[in-house]
Amino acid sequence: MTHAATATQPDSGEIFLELHDLHKSFGPNHVLRGIDLSVHRGQIFTLLGGSGTGKSVLLKHIIGLLHPDRGRVCVEGAEVTDLRERDWVEVRKHIGFVFQGAALFDSLSVLENVAYALREHLHLTPQEIRLRVAACLESVGLVGIEHLMPAELSGGMRKRVGVARAIALEPSAVLYDEPTTGLDPANSKRIGQLIVDLRARLGVTSIIVTHDLDLCFAISDRIALLENGRLVAEGTPDEIRSSPREDVQAFLDGGSDLEADDVWLGRDGEDADGA
Ligand SMILES: Nc1ncnc2c1ncn2[C@@H]1O[C@H](COP(=O)(O)OP(=O)(O)O)[C@@H](O)[C@H]1O
Ligand SMILES: [Mg+2]
């Protein structure tokens, strides 16, 4: 693995991701309105923001599932903004993605879910695949569940299998979209520990989108808040906590009560927080 050297130096100073003046609209909906961001290799970076502010849209630009209307995306020092689809496949081999809801293939066993990218990209024997899948499952604390189907797993296990699948190709970075939504505090903590372990063991860069302020402040090196299409604040956990900006403080006061996206949906003008 190429990134092992950074394992003891979480922040190598080397830039993993850069976004320059990123804009994205869907029809009249101008979602991203000029995002500038850089994430260093080995960093744990968390993007906060209310529901529908464009957090998932931003993540999808990093792996070419969406393309910007304006601006640039650079991954590991190379500009990827205008890559052709077949070149994106190459970039995605280095970036694991844990989708919102930990979407697993329901008709495939845990083994086949985790092995999916291995079969697609590497020429391994069935025995090598089994060993690699077992190692990935072990690193997320799940042993001997290869034969189970997604429907047989708890929510926490499904998320962890989603992480095992994302790390199967030994990526240099993993993107997590709402990795703890719907999990109880114990399982949320476990996911956080897993993210920290991956960085410690393999120097993995992590970019996390979440509503979970406990997770965010427990593990992040840097935090940004997305609001009205822009990053209105960016800094260390201490800098964000002590931000003089009212919108940042309002988010921190209200955000911790949000368990899931739908808390904010369809409740226009209504205060999500009764306490
Ligand atoms: N593929 C798409 N086509 C049209 N609109 C989209 C698409 N993806 C996201 N949007 C819109 O972009 C906005 C931001 O969405 P999203 O990034 O999913 O928000 P969140 O911050 O909750 O992750 C929403 O208004 C959503 O409806
Ligand atoms: Mg989202």
Side-chain angles (χ1 to χ4, degrees):
M1 205 169 292
T2 53
H3 45 265
T6 57
T8 52
Q9 296 175 278
D11 190 346
S12 59
E14 197 184 325
I15 290 177
F16 172 78
L17 169 75
E18 270 184 297
L19 304 177
H20 297 284
D21 194 32
L22 203 70
H23 285 252
K24 181 67 178 178
S25 296
F26 298 101
N29 186 8
H30 196 171
V31 178
L32 302 181
R33 301 169 177 239
I35 301 288
D36 290 292
L37 173 66
S38 52
V39 176
H40 289 193
R41 191 182 286 283
Q43 252 177 7
I44 297 178
F45 182 93
T46 299
L47 180 64
L48 296 173
S51 214
T53 49
K55 303 181 301 297
S56 296
V57 165
L58 191 155
L59 275 192
K60 286 174 184 167
H61 280 80
I62 303 171
I63 50 169
L65 297 181
L66 287 172
H67 305 287
D69 301 328
R70 196 170 109 195
R72 298 194 294 129
V73 182
C74 298
V75 174
E76 305 197 281
E79 172 142 13
V80 296
T81 319
D82 298 316
L83 286 190
R84 289 163 304 180
E85 185 53 31
R86 69 164 178 272
D87 296 322
W88 271 111
V89 172
E90 206 47 46
V91 176
R92 288 183 203 128
K93 281 192 210 170
H94 303 277
I95 306 179
F97 200 103
V98 180
F99 288 92
Q100 199 161 352
L104 300 176
F105 301 115
D106 285 330
S107 60
L108 300 181
S109 67
V110 167
L111 173 77
E112 290 307 322
N113 264 283
V114 178
Y116 198 84
L118 298 176
R119 290 198 199 286
E120 205 168 351
H121 297 297
L122 304 179
H123 301 283
L124 300 177
T125 65
Q127 172 66 0
E128 286 169 328
I129 287 183
R130 271 197 299 278
L131 286 173
R132 186 90 161 247
V133 168
C136 292
L137 287 172
E138 193 186 342
S139 65
V140 299
L142 297 171
V143 173
I145 66 154
E146 283 87 337
H147 61 287
L148 295 179
M149 299 301 286
E152 299 175 275
L153 306 175
S154 69
M157 288 166 88
R158 265 201 292 278
K159 297 263 186 186
R160 283 189 280 154
V161 171
V163 176
R165 188 175 62 178
I167 61 175
L169 285 174
E170 302 183 335
S172 49
V174 180
L175 315 185
Y176 299 85
D177 199 348
E178 308 275 6
T180 61
T181 298
L183 298 187
D184 59 35
N187 271 310
S188 298
K189 238 178 153 166
R190 231 178 174 141
I191 293 283
Q193 191 55 50
L194 188 56
I195 294 170
V196 170
D197 286 350
L198 285 174
R199 185 259 293 279
R201 284 196 297 122
L202 306 171
V204 173
T205 307
S206 306
I207 302 178
I208 306 160
V209 156
T210 189
H211 274 138
D212 182 341
L213 294 180
D214 290 337
L215 174 79
C216 170
F217 282 98
I219 69 172
S220 304
D221 299 309
R222 294 192 76 79
I223 300 169
L225 176 64
L226 178 63
E227 207 169 79
N228 298 320
R230 294 196 177 85
L231 296 181
V232 296
E234 205 251 322
T236 63
D238 282 344
E239 286 165 352
I240 293 294
R241 250 195 223 101
S242 60
S243 168
R245 290 188 61 113
E246 270 180 38
D247 46 4
V248 173
Q249 292 307 324
F251 186 86
L252 297 184
D253 286 344
S256 57
D257 296 303
L258 297 171
E259 290 278 295
D261 274 0
D262 36 358
V263 177
W264 277 17
L265 294 175
R267 297 186 59 171
D268 249 0
E270 196 181 322
D271 195 345
D273 178 8

